């Protein structure tokens, strides 16, 4: 797939690539000949993923271990990427909190804002400016299907994902005339370690493989402002968000989550 590489460059920076969907992005890009820069708080897993990808695809996978909830993280990224031809950035890392809003300490909510909201803003601003200046590049901000309505038990996570989605869609419009592709990605339930946080009952749930989520997103980049992963999720969320009232949608999702996390 030489076109993808010539469009987006030799390296892609992917946050959260030590695990789950971020790791799947790193592998899909390695297949396309693009070397992943794995940015993750989890340095051991990140190193292991980089070694695997180097060996399997002969790409120059690199690791930058850092905490995206710390305000100074962007300086570490800028230093690390000096001299590298980066044309694609995927912000996949996220903090996911599952509980009633007031049951969690404010510190956890602040960390969620740091990784999900502030890091999206910083990465989009820095790389958006770079890519606009060189008239080439791509940015994927990973949101969630939960962005589309208020969601009990994941209320703050869903709110942060709504921020990400709206930012990505606005940037898609502004940057497309400058040769920069932006996509807001909304995965539904996806088989990763994170989906098991809070021990949900997933029986009967439609859970996609992470590799399918990553592949669909890379194929949609440059074609549309946002994407719900999977045809079945696209159908379900069309019904939920376009045919029902906001009140009905919030109630249905709230009831489903309360049952899934055994709170009823
Ligand atoms: N899986 C799903 O069902 C699903 C559904 C909708 C949307 N999404 C979105 O998809 C993205 C990837 O989710 P996933 O399920 O693949 O999660 P995952 O398997 O937990 O991977 C996320 C990675 O990000 C890292 N990370 C967390 N906080 C960080 C921080 N402060 N600084 C740097 N790295 C950090 C995690 O490290 P630790 O493991 O050490 O925390 C982990 O390696 C997220 O944006 C998520 O909201 C997932």
């Amino acid at each position: 797939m030489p076109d993808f590489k010539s469009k987006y460059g030799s390296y892609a920076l992917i946050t959260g690539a030590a695990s789950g969907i971020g790791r799947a992005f790193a592998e899909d890009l390695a297949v396309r000949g693009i070397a992943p820069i794995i940015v993750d708080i989890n340095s051991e897993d990140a190193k292991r993923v980089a070694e695997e990808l180097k060996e399997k695809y002969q790409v120059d996978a690199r690791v930058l271990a850092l905490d995206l909830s710390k305000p100074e993280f962007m300086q570490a990224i800028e230093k690390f990427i000096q001299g590298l031809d980066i044309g694609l950035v995927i912000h996949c890392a996220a903090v996911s909190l599952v509980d009633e809003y007031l049951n969690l300490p404010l510190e956890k909510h602040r960390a969620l804002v740091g990784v999900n909201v502030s890091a999206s803003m910083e990465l989009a601003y820095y790389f958006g400016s770079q890519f606009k200046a060189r008239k080439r590049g791509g940015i994927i901000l990973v949101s969630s299907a939960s962005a589309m309505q208020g969601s009990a038990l994941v209320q703050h996570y869903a709110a942060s994902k709504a921020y990400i989605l709206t930012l990505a869609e606005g940037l898609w419009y502004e940057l497309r005339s400058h040769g920069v592709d932006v996509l807001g990605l909304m995965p539904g339930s996806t088989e990763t370690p994170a989906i098991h946080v809070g021990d949900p009952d997933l029986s009967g749930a439609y859970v996609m493989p992470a590799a399918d989520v990553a592949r669909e997103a890379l194929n949609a980049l440059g074609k549309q402002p946002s994407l719900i992963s999977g045809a079945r999720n696209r159908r379900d969320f069309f019904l939920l968000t376009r045919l029902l009232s906001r009140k009905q949608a919030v109630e249905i999702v709230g009831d489903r989550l309360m049952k899934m996390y055994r709170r009823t």
Side-chain angles (χ1 to χ4, degrees):
M1 295 169 223
D3 279 357
F4 205 85
K5 189 174 176 183
S6 58
K7 193 165 182 197
Y8 296 116
S10 307
Y11 290 87
L13 184 137
I14 309 157
T15 70
S19 173
I21 298 171
R23 191 208 178 287
F25 270 120
E27 178 148 14
D28 198 315
L29 289 164
V31 171
R32 296 171 197 243
I34 297 181
I37 298 172
I38 297 165
V39 177
D40 205 290
I41 198 168
N42 191 337
S43 65
E44 287 313 308
D45 283 357
K47 280 184 208 155
R48 191 178 38 75
V49 170
E51 287 311 315
E52 278 172 23
L53 297 181
K54 271 185 197 170
E55 200 177 310
K56 215 165 156 190
Y57 304 105
Q58 284 77 52
V59 289
D60 181 26
R62 300 191 184 196
V63 171
L64 174 58
L66 54 72
D67 182 350
L68 292 156
S69 71
K70 302 280 185 256
E72 63 280 3
F73 81 87
M74 205 55 230
Q75 288 151 27
I77 289 184
E78 284 180 47
K79 200 169 156 205
F80 188 84
I81 62 172
Q82 285 308 311
L84 298 180
D85 171 30
I86 296 180
L88 181 60
V89 169
I90 303 175
H91 182 35
C92 204
V95 170
S96 168
L97 299 175
V98 184
D99 206 339
E100 290 184 30
Y101 184 67
L102 298 177
N103 285 350
L104 291 160
L106 197 51
E107 265 326 295
K108 290 202 171 186
H109 287 299
R110 288 195 180 111
L112 182 148
V113 170
V115 179
N116 302 10
V117 176
S118 301
S120 300
M121 171 189 73
E122 298 275 356
L123 289 162
Y125 194 85
Y126 179 82
F127 287 103
S129 309
Q130 302 273 320
F131 296 164
K132 183 180 172 186
R134 57 191 268 200
K135 301 190 186 314
R136 174 168 83 93
I139 300 172
I140 298 178
L141 299 179
V142 181
S143 171
S144 162
S146 69
M148 284 180 285
Q149 69 289 304
S151 304
L153 293 182
V154 292
Q155 67 312 107
H156 195 197
Y157 168 81
S160 71
K161 294 295 177 175
Y163 169 94
I164 293 172
L165 175 64
T166 307
L167 177 66
E169 290 186 335
L171 291 176
W172 170 81
Y173 186 95
E174 287 182 1
L175 293 177
R176 64 180 166 166
S177 57
H178 299 279
V180 183
D181 301 326
V182 183
L183 181 78
L185 174 65
M186 289 172 277
S189 297
T190 308
E191 188 47 63
T192 71
I195 198 180
H196 300 287
V197 171
D199 191 25
D201 174 7
L202 294 170
S203 52
Y206 172 58
V207 182
M208 282 181 70
D212 292 358
V213 171
R215 189 181 53 252
E216 252 196 15
L218 291 172
N219 291 339
L221 182 61
K223 299 186 181 126
Q224 56 202 72
S226 53
L227 174 75
I228 297 174
S229 307
R232 182 165 159 185
N233 287 326
R234 287 192 279 280
R235 185 202 63 198
D236 288 355
F237 278 93
F238 180 83
L239 296 174
L240 193 69
T241 60
R242 304 287 170 84
L243 300 185
L244 301 181
S245 70
R246 293 286 285 187
K247 183 180 177 211
Q248 287 169 317
V250 171
E251 283 177 343
I252 287 171
V253 169
D255 290 350
R256 197 184 290 161
L257 286 162
M258 286 291 181
K259 197 168 160 226
M260 190 184 274
Y261 290 100
R262 303 176 179 88
R263 303 300 173 100
T264 51

